[in-house]
Amino acid sequence: MFEVLEHTADIGFRAWGSTPAELFAHAALALEAIAVDTSQVEERYVYPIAAAGEDYETLLVNWLNEVLYYVDGERVVMGRFQIDQISPERVSGKGWGEPRDPVRHPPRLVVKGVTYHQLSVKQEGERWVAQVFLDI
């Protein structure tokens, strides 16, 4: 689903999926796993998430920033994502999770934002691949 990429000042990940929808869901999981320990997340509540963009790259950055808003602004941790609709300009879906518990969901890294640095979203053969770096 994803792998973490080391960088001198930041951290990144490469995510993949068989469709753009699966790719965006896996990228959201990668962001959550970098920021918070998600091993004990209970899928108690459903959180709506939507974003707009000019293409898949800007759409992914905006989508991930919405996920990050839940992590930091709403203090929510999610362990599963589903994309309901996606085009290069719009994505909508939901995440399942719960309010963050500092004992069960300890922080890993403080993620300040999703960057455009070395950002890519492309189809490689049968799968979609994204590379994203985060400002920490």
Side-chain angles (χ1 to χ4, degrees), residues 33-136:
I34 288 170
V36 181
D37 182 345
T38 59
S39 64
Q40 296 186 53
V41 174
E42 293 180 13
E43 298 173 2
R44 295 174 29 204
Y45 303 103
V46 178
Y47 301 93
I49 308 168
E54 299 170 8
D55 52 30
Y56 278 127
E57 285 84 7
T58 58
L59 186 65
L60 182 59
V61 168
N62 294 340
W63 163 259
L64 292 174
N65 277 323
E66 290 296 316
V67 172
L68 185 58
Y69 170 76
Y70 274 106
V71 172
D72 286 338
E74 297 293 326
R75 309 285 300 155
V76 166
V77 63
M78 292 179 248
R80 180 167 61 103
F81 294 88
Q82 175 183 307
I83 305 303
D84 298 323
Q85 295 180 350
I86 190 166
S87 72
E89 294 85 28
R90 183 118 182 98
V91 60
S92 64
K94 51 189 150 282
W96 284 263
E98 63 183 326
R100 284 176 62 185
D101 177 326
V103 174
R104 291 185 24 248
H105 317 120
R108 288 191 168 153
L109 288 174
V110 175
V111 178
K112 296 183 225 171
V114 182
T115 73
Y116 287 92
H117 176 69
Q118 295 182 345
L119 174 69
S120 69
V121 176
K122 58 188 171 189
Q123 188 171 10
E124 294 181 349
E126 297 289 315
R127 70 181 187 170
W128 285 80
V129 180
Q131 178 174 284
V132 179
F133 282 93
L134 308 170
D135 185 17
I136 56 173

